[in-house]
């Protein structure tokens, strides 16, 4: 058996004149959590749908557990779990009835339903109608349904979008425990950078149908980052050349008619005094200033020139 639980080789997908996925190669290891990041239109949803078996590649091959959807559809359906950004349930069924309905598709016993309600912390809500659940509770139910069949591969499409920080953390804790206890592999799409950083072993950044970078956060920042970030907001616009001259070729991003921006710098202590001297010489007031280590969001902007959201 392959060392990869999911193997993607030279996958292409096109819709009329639009190339959604352009020659993707990737392996997902057993027990590995991988985040797939990209702006809207990057191709990540199309890629996930091909991994799920909802779309077929125009070229290339996707294998899960060394099996393809073409030849092993029934086996693969029993090996994967799906949780979408918005999962629709029947409002007038209770949590327990909903779990029982989906468990029947896999011919699972009542004991498994009880395990899942415990796992996603919904025992106290078992008699509540789905329509009365909060957003966080509904997403925990969706995650529980995805885990009923003990999937070897879990595919999550923005599972915490719209949730408050507490509800989001609840989902994170469930997924952390799942990895420790079950050794499940996961592919996660998310717009929350801290979610990718917290949960995932590896991060893949996708744009215009291609993977443009992948690795751990440390590997990505070492390869593509500049170390530190100086973000600022000024009272009036500044000449881009003045700032470029102190950056020695490092990344400068200006916004709002050159009144705000960020500088990717090798060392804050070296660059910040020179930056402050320049704005003082130009009689420009500093309205906001933030100095920090580079984050995944900074890195994404550095690579693509766009924010994730």
């Amino acid at each position: 058996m392959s060392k990869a639980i999911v193997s993607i080789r030279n996958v292409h997908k096109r819709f009329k004149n639009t190339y959604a996925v352009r020659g993707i190669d990737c392996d997902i290891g057993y027990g590995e959590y991988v985040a797939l990041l990209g702006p809207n239109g990057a191709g990540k949803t199309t890629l996930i749908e091909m991994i799920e078996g909802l779309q077929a590649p125009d070229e290339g091959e996707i294998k899960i557990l060394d099996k393809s959807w073409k030849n092993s559809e029934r086996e693969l359906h029993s090996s994967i779990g799906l949780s979408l950004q918005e999962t629709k349930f029947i409002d007038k069924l209770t949590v327990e009835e909903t779990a029982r309905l989906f468990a029947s598709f896999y011919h699972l016993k009542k004991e498994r339903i009880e395990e899942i309600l415990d796992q996603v912390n919904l025992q106290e809500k078992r008699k509540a109608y789905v329509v009365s659940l909060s957003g966080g509770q509904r997403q925990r139910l969706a995650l529980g349904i995805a885990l009923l069949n003990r999937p070897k591969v879990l595919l999550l499409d923005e599972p915490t979008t719209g949730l408050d920080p507490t509800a989001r953390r609840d989902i994170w804790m469930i997924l952390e425990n799942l990895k420790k206890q079950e050794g499940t592999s996961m592919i996660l799409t998310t717009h929350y950078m801290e979610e990718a950083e917290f949960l995932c072993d590896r991060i893949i950044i996708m744009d215009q149908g291609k993977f443009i970078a992948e690795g751990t956060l440390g590997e990505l920042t070492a390869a593509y980052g500049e170390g530190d970030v100086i973000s600022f907001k000024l009272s009036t616009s500044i000449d881009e050349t003045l700032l470029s001259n102190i950056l020695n070729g490092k990344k400068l991003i200006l916004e709002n008619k050159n009144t705000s921006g960020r500088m990717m710098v090798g060392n804050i202590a070296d660059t910040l005094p020179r930056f402050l001297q320049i704005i003082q010489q130009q009689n420009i007031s500093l309205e906001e200033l933030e100095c920090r280590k580079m984050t995944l969001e900074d890195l994404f902007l550095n690579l693509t020139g766009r924010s994730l959201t």
Side-chain angles (χ1 to χ4, degrees), residues 1 45 66 116 119 124 139 144 198 227 236 250 263 268 284:
M1 180 176 286
T45 297
D66 284 333
I116 285 296
Q119 193 170 353
E124 293 183 359
Q139 282 302 92
F198 183 85
T236 187
K250 299 188 186 302
M263 298 180 289
I268 289 173
I284 297 173

Side-chain angles (χ1 to χ4, degrees), residues 152-268:
K152 294 180 173 61
V153 179
L154 183 62
L155 300 167
L156 301 184
D157 183 15
E158 300 185 26
T160 64
T161 294
L163 301 185
D164 63 59
T166 300
R168 191 176 302 142
R169 284 276 173 176
D170 289 342
I171 298 289
W172 293 1
M173 292 303 105
I174 294 169
L175 293 173
E176 268 213 315
N177 291 334
L178 177 71
K179 184 177 185 180
K180 293 174 184 176
Q181 297 168 7
E182 304 284 346
T184 306
S185 301
M186 180 180 74
I187 303 174
L188 167 77
T189 69
T190 180
H191 278 95
Y192 295 113
M193 294 295 188
E194 70 273 20
E195 188 161 272
E197 292 180 31
F198 183 85
L199 286 174
C200 295
D201 306 299
R202 184 157 51 106
I203 296 161
I204 298 174
I205 298 177
M206 189 173 186
D207 196 25
Q208 298 181 2
K210 295 182 178 181
F211 291 168
I212 60 173
E214 63 178 292
T216 64
L217 179 60
E219 289 169 346
L220 289 173
T221 53
Y224 303 102
E226 301 293 348
D228 298 333
V229 179
I230 300 174
S231 295
F232 56 87
K233 182 179 179 182
L234 306 174
S235 59
T236 187
S237 62
I238 190 168
D239 185 346
E240 181 175 350
T241 305
L242 293 174
L243 298 184
S244 297
N245 288 340
I246 66 171
L247 293 179
N248 298 319
K250 299 188 186 302
K251 190 82 171 183
L252 168 65
I253 298 170
L254 290 175
E255 301 169 322
N256 301 320
K257 299 180 179 179
N258 289 12
T259 61
S260 63
R262 66 185 78 186
M263 298 180 289
M264 314 299 179
V265 302
N267 187 293
I268 289 173

Side-chain angles (χ1 to χ4, degrees), residues 30-140:
Y30 283 81
E32 185 180 24
Y33 276 16
V34 173
L36 182 60
L37 305 181
N40 293 332
K44 60 187 187 299
T45 297
T46 300
L47 178 60
I48 291 294
E49 288 179 350
M50 288 191 287
I51 297 172
E52 294 170 352
L54 299 178
Q55 301 265 6
D58 295 334
E59 299 176 43
E61 183 179 56
I62 295 176
K63 286 192 173 183
I64 302 172
L65 294 163
D66 284 333
K67 299 177 176 65
S68 67
W69 283 104
K70 186 183 295 185
N71 302 318
S72 306
E73 183 174 344
R74 183 178 296 235
E75 291 176 71
L76 291 182
H77 275 306
S78 66
S79 299
I80 67 172
L82 309 175
S83 183
L84 307 178
Q85 183 177 339
E86 292 187 18
T87 303
K88 301 295 184 183
F89 295 117
I90 300 172
D91 286 346
K92 292 302 182 181
L93 288 183
T94 66
V95 168
E96 182 179 2
E97 289 167 341
T98 301
R100 192 185 307 143
L101 172 65
F102 282 90
S104 69
F105 300 157
Y106 300 102
H107 308 290
L108 300 175
K109 296 181 180 180
K110 183 180 179 181
E111 289 78 11
R112 182 56 183 160
I113 296 172
E114 297 303 317
E115 290 173 359
I116 285 296
L117 293 180
D118 281 336
Q119 193 170 353
V120 298
N121 303 315
L122 284 176
Q123 280 286 9
E124 293 183 359
K125 290 289 183 178
R126 62 186 306 135
K127 299 301 182 184
Y129 288 114
V130 169
V131 70
S132 69
L133 298 180
S134 68
Q137 291 164 348
R138 187 180 291 261
Q139 282 302 92
R140 277 189 275 138

